[in-house]
Amino acid sequence: EAAKRWLTETRKRSKARDESILAWFDQHLKDYDVQAITREVVKELRALKAEETSEATADRHMALLRSILNKCVRDWEVLDSAPKVPMYRPAVGEPRWLTRPEFARLERELPDHLKAAARLAVLTGLRMRAMLSLTWQQVDLVKKRAWVSSSEMKAGYSLGIPLTAEAIQVLNALPRNGDYVFQWRGERIDDCNTLAFQRAVKAAKVEPLRWHDLRH
């Protein structure tokens, strides 16, 4: 009930991410009253998520849980106080980036439907979700520019992107059999950081690497 109320009452650009995190919590807390979520329960969940993924991901989950528990105190008045939610706060290292030869090896290993997306990610620096939201109406190959609407941008404002000759070449090679720029077998591609991408990363011997690192 708290999760549903959170999603209904809060206005956040990261609502989709919140829904995903809350689906994970639902597996472990659906039979709990919020009063039963003690610090010990929180610590167990934090350790479980860190083991499944990473400490950074566990912190993102715990931050959302903390916000909802605080909401239960301040606004919904169903808790007198919220348990302390500890964080790992792992040290942030230098950004991961690829050399040109490394990217060339990766590109050779990528499946066809990810090759163009990877190259455009490198050429434009666009975040994955913003890039995959591009429609052909948002691309002007004559004036060599594209733009992403504010609803697809993390910062909440629209973004214009100059297109280099190489980016134009990548886009010209793509089929135009639908509204979206990046499609596979007639369907819009909605995620690039997939198992196929990670297999290519391993085969190219450039791990560890996330799709997001292509921006660097």
Side-chain angles (χ1 to χ4, degrees), residues 90-114:
V92 179
E94 289 295 316
R96 175 74 170 99
W97 50 274
L98 295 176
T99 63
R100 288 178 181 270
E102 285 175 331
F103 180 74
R105 293 206 310 270
L106 174 64
E107 192 175 25
R108 285 195 295 269
E109 299 294 341
L110 285 170
D112 290 341
H113 67 287
L114 292 183

Side-chain angles (χ1 to χ4, degrees), residues 1 9 24 38 42 45 65-66 68 82-83 90 103 115 126 128 171 175 189 195 210 212 214:
E1 291 172 354
E9 296 183 10
W24 183 85
T38 63
V42 171
L45 287 173
L65 180 61
R66 179 177 59 191
I68 293 175
F103 180 74
K115 288 181 187 292
L126 280 172
M128 181 182 72
L171 291 167
I189 298 174
L195 181 60
R210 306 165 301 160
H212 186 82
L214 297 178

Side-chain angles (χ1 to χ4, degrees), residues 26-211:
D26 191 52
Q27 299 174 33
H28 305 282
L29 293 176
K30 63 181 179 181
D31 296 324
Y32 280 70
D33 292 332
V34 288
Q35 292 83 355
I37 303 175
T38 63
R39 185 175 182 180
E40 288 69 30
V41 171
V42 171
K43 290 175 68 175
E44 289 178 7
L45 287 173
R46 183 185 68 148
L48 176 62
K49 190 61 189 176
E51 184 178 348
E52 288 180 357
T53 53
S54 67
E55 291 183 353
T57 301
D59 276 358
R60 285 191 288 272
H61 280 57
M62 293 305 112
L64 178 58
L65 180 61
R66 179 177 59 191
S67 295
I68 293 175
L69 291 173
N70 287 337
K71 195 86 168 172
C72 287
V73 176
R74 292 194 308 265
D75 298 344
W76 301 335
E77 299 180 349
V78 294
L79 285 178
D80 293 328
S81 62
K84 184 175 181 180
V85 180
M87 298 287 180
Y88 286 109
R89 294 187 175 87
V92 179
E94 289 295 316
R96 175 74 170 99
W97 50 274
L98 295 176
T99 63
R100 288 178 181 270
E102 285 175 331
F103 180 74
R105 293 206 310 270
L106 174 64
E107 192 175 25
R108 285 195 295 269
E109 299 294 341
L110 285 170
D112 290 341
H113 67 287
L114 292 183
K115 288 181 187 292
R119 180 157 288 279
L120 201 70
V122 169
L123 293 171
T124 63
L126 280 172
R127 293 178 183 275
M128 181 182 72
R129 297 296 177 191
M131 188 181 71
L132 294 180
S133 75
L134 282 174
T135 65
W136 286 111
Q137 288 186 334
Q138 294 166 270
V139 177
D140 189 332
L141 296 177
V142 175
K143 295 184 177 179
K144 300 179 181 180
R145 66 187 182 187
W147 56 94
V148 180
S149 62
S150 58
S151 61
E152 301 295 342
M153 289 297 297
K154 184 177 181 180
Y157 56 82
S158 57
L159 175 70
I161 310 119
L163 298 174
T164 64
E166 193 174 357
I168 294 290
Q169 186 178 17
V170 170
L171 291 167
N172 273 328
L174 293 172
R176 299 196 187 188
N177 53 2
D179 294 334
Y180 287 94
V181 172
F182 294 102
Q183 298 189 80
W184 176 244
R185 295 176 178 173
E187 298 291 333
R188 175 190 177 186
I189 298 174
D190 62 3
D191 193 2
C192 294
N193 198 33
T194 58
L195 181 60
F197 173 70
Q198 291 303 327
R199 284 174 175 166
V201 167
K202 187 174 182 179
K205 295 181 173 56
V206 293
E207 68 266 56
L209 184 78
R210 306 165 301 160
W211 186 272

